[in-house]
Amino acid sequence: MSDDTPLPDGFESITVRANGTRLHAVVGGSGAPVLLLHGWPQTWRAWRHLMPALAAHGYRVIAPDLRGTGASDRPPSGYDKDTQAEDMRELLAQLGIHGGVSVVGHDIGGMVAFAYARRHPAEVERLALVELALPGFGLEQAMDVASGGLFHFGLFMTEELPELLIGGRESEFLTWWFDWLSAVPGTFPQEELATVASSGTARRFRALPHPP
């Protein structure tokens, strides 16, 4: 399930089978490849305003839906970041890209980007990580709920509980959660939250962070 966000001019929607699952991406532009990896609970559309600007500056832009999100499949497993990094590597290979890629990752996408660069450093030209904690630099503390870490890590890693509590209430939960996370409550318009909520169901909680 995905939303009806219009594609940026000059971009197309593709679906490929990579690393044993079906992945959706929006691609466009020509030149040096740049891979944009969204956070949670977003999809490729998180980059929609940036994608045309990058294409105009001579980049081939690839903005996928990570497994479990958007129009990509939701397999029952494979949400560790190493597996998702291989998803992205095989997606790029399907597009004829085997190296020289700039990888930009936000939030959960940053964890996948970090795993990609760690596993295949010779293939990553540049790495940009936005709004996330890294192993050894705060991630372990953030995920340690018993010692003051962020509550949602523990909630979302509990088998079946997020689906039970939040299924059918995604919009209400995201409205509360985005306000709770924001320095300025109400920053995100309700129509934006509704679109994000509509791009999937509570099954997407499988895509949230598990220990790297």
Side-chain angles (χ1 to χ4, degrees):
M1 181 178 182
S2 190
D3 58 71
D4 296 324
T5 301
L7 299 181
D9 290 343
F11 282 78
E12 64 175 336
S13 177
I14 66 166
T15 301
V16 303
R17 189 154 191 88
N19 200 25
T21 194
R22 190 177 63 90
L23 298 174
H24 168 259
V26 176
V27 300
S30 60
V34 56
L35 178 66
L36 304 177
L37 303 181
H38 63 81
W40 192 92
Q42 298 161 313
T43 63
W44 73 269
R45 74 184 294 275
W47 306 104
R48 66 193 184 281
H49 300 304
L50 179 63
M51 293 160 65
L54 288 172
H57 280 79
Y59 289 96
R60 186 181 184 189
V61 182
I62 304 98
D65 291 334
L66 297 175
R67 70 164 62 199
T69 68
S72 290
D73 277 352
R74 297 172 174 81
S77 61
Y79 295 99
D80 61 280
K81 302 308 171 275
D82 282 359
T83 297
Q84 293 191 78
E86 294 308 313
D87 288 352
M88 297 300 103
R89 186 173 186 244
E90 291 195 22
L91 167 64
L92 293 179
Q94 296 271 5
L95 298 173
I97 300 169
H98 300 279
V101 62
S102 296
V103 184
V104 182
H106 169 241
D107 185 55
I108 301 302
M111 296 181 184
V112 178
F114 178 79
Y116 193 128
R118 176 178 55 79
R119 292 171 66 86
H120 306 288
E123 299 177 12
V124 176
E125 187 75 18
R126 293 181 178 87
L127 176 67
L129 305 175
V130 184
E131 293 185 326
L132 76 151
L134 294 174
F137 294 91
L139 179 61
E140 294 83 359
Q141 292 87 343
M143 296 181 72
D144 186 357
V145 180
S147 299
L150 296 172
F151 84 92
H152 57 272
F153 285 116
L155 172 63
F156 297 150
M157 287 189 292
T158 303
E159 192 74 20
E160 298 183 355
L161 183 61
E163 293 89 341
L164 176 67
L165 295 179
I166 302 171
R169 304 179 184 87
E170 289 85 358
S171 183
E172 293 86 348
F173 172 75
L174 292 177
T175 297
W176 176 86
W177 193 47
F178 277 39
D179 276 351
W180 181 76
L181 289 171
S182 300
V184 181
T187 295
F188 297 93
Q190 190 59 46
E191 56 268 25
E192 177 70 13
L193 294 173
T195 300
V196 171
S198 73
S199 66
T201 69
R203 288 177 295 168
R204 290 186 304 156
F205 292 115
R206 294 174 181 163
L208 282 158
H210 293 68

